[in-house]
């Protein structure tokens, strides 16, 4: 059985803003608590067994977040007292219409085309979101110091101006299972509304500093160093006949230094010496000297 590896995440060195590890863990716990509470609330509202799972928590600009959403989707803006940017709770239109059908008594809702809500559907979805915000306030506790309310609906992710393009948002991704249907959803909250309660705001590293930090980190990564003789070319038949006690001559002159290799790449040469009771290599030349 082959193990499926997770898809690699692209790291942008030009924008290395990220959550500190301790901050990320606190937020993950808060969003996981919210997911459990929201799943219980959905089960009661739509009268179908529901489960919400938090998949990922990221720090992204609002422009990046909006670009990751479908062009047509259900977005409720969440005004936050004392904060200029608004939060966003987003679900696919077909998923929200399915919830409405369940809430109105349908056991197996028919597939619904992607369309905006009617006034009645909008009122029902708003009630579901308002109850979810109660779960959000409970789950975040002191992390969410400002009051969050349900605002207007938007259905075009490219025109929903919840924040400025460069504003940082804490974005949580969810999988929502209602009956047999699983749908993705997101919740984005302005970083300015959350990070101050976590202590020091996550550091913003400039592109110039990012190169310095990367070089410093690479300088502390362990690598394998070896001293190599000149390789000997032998026939496969000779290799197959090798036995204990056989001599395998090496075409390496006694006076010639050995090659210093780092993870297989030559970086210089060294003579054989000793360091106490151990063998050692005395560096004779380095790659830069050889090139010169």
């Amino acid at each position: 059985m082959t193990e499926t590896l997770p898809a690699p995440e692209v790291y942008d060195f030009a924008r290395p803003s990220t959550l500190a590890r301790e901050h990320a863990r606190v937020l993950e716990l808060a969003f996981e608590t919210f997911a459990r509470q929201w799943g219980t609330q959905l089960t009661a509202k739509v009268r179908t067994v529901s489960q919400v799972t938090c998949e990922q928590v990221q720090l992204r600009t609002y422009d990046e977040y909006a670009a990751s959403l479908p062009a047509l989707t259900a977005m409720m803006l969440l005004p936050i007292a004392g904060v200029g940017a608004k939060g966003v709770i987003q679900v696919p239109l077909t998923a929200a219409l399915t919830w409405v059908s369940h809430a109105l008594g349908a056991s197996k809702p028919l597939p619904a085309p992607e369309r905006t809500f009617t006034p009645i559907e909008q009122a029902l979805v708003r009630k579901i979101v308002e109850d979810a915000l109660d779960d959000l306030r409970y789950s975040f506790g002191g992390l969410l110091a400002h009051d969050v309310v349900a605002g207007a609906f938007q259905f075009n992710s490219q025109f929903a101006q919840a924040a400025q393009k460069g504003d940082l948002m804490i974005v949580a991704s969810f999988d929502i299972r209602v009956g047999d249907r699983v749908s993705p959803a997101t919740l984005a909250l302005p970083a300015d509304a959350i990070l101050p309660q976590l202590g020091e705001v996550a550091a913003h590293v400039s592109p110039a500093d990012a190169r310095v930090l990367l070089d410093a980190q690479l300088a502390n990564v362990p690598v394998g160093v070896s001293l190599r003789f000149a390789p000997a070319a032998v026939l496969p038949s000779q290799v197959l006949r090798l036995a204990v006690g056989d001599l395998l001559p090496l075409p390496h002159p006694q006076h010639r230094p050995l090659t210093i290799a780092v993870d297989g790449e030559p970086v210089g040469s060294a003579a054989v010496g000793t360091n106490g009771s151990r063998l050692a290599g005395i560096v004779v030349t380095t790659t830069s000297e050889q090139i010169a």
Side-chain angles (χ1 to χ4, degrees), residues 3 24 175 284:
E3 182 180 357
D175 278 341
V284 177

Side-chain angles (χ1 to χ4, degrees), residues 3-195:
E3 182 180 357
T4 302
L5 297 177
E9 296 182 16
V10 178
Y11 185 84
D12 184 1
F13 285 91
R15 190 195 58 81
S17 300
T18 186
L19 287 168
R21 182 174 299 178
E22 59 273 17
H23 291 179
R25 186 54 188 152
V26 171
L27 290 171
E28 287 169 359
L29 290 173
F31 279 114
E32 287 169 2
T33 302
F34 166 67
R36 290 192 296 270
Q37 297 290 327
W38 192 11
T40 302
Q41 179 261 119
L42 267 180
T43 299
K45 287 292 180 184
V46 305
R47 292 175 288 188
T48 300
V49 176
S50 306
Q51 182 180 15
V52 181
T53 306
C54 181
E55 296 295 327
Q56 190 177 41
V57 178
Q58 294 177 298
L59 186 66
R60 312 182 72 179
T61 64
Y62 178 75
D63 189 44
E64 291 173 326
Y65 168 62
S68 70
L69 301 178
L72 186 63
T73 189
M75 300 171 65
M76 176 174 275
L77 305 187
L78 308 175
I80 302 175
V83 180
K86 299 180 178 66
V88 177
I89 189 165
Q90 173 269 331
V91 296
L93 286 165
T94 53
L97 292 172
T98 300
W99 303 349
V100 170
S101 298
H102 277 300
L104 294 177
S107 57
K108 291 185 177 180
L110 296 175
E114 284 200 346
R115 57 173 176 80
T116 58
F117 303 146
T118 65
I120 293 178
E121 292 166 344
Q122 186 164 307
L124 291 171
V125 175
R126 174 177 292 276
K127 181 58 179 172
I128 292 175
V129 173
E130 287 174 344
D131 290 343
L133 291 182
D134 290 337
D135 296 327
L136 181 68
R137 298 184 193 98
Y138 166 80
S139 303
F140 273 65
L143 291 178
L144 197 55
H146 307 276
D147 190 29
V148 182
V149 297
F153 275 101
Q154 296 288 338
F155 299 100
N156 190 316
S157 60
Q158 304 308 309
F159 293 101
Q161 296 299 319
Q164 298 297 318
K165 289 185 176 181
D167 287 348
L168 288 176
M169 309 289 286
I170 297 172
V171 181
S173 304
F174 301 92
D175 278 341
I176 302 179
R177 178 182 294 275
V178 176
D180 296 329
R181 186 189 183 102
V182 179
S183 304
T186 60
L187 172 59
L189 297 172
D192 289 344
I194 305 295
L195 293 185

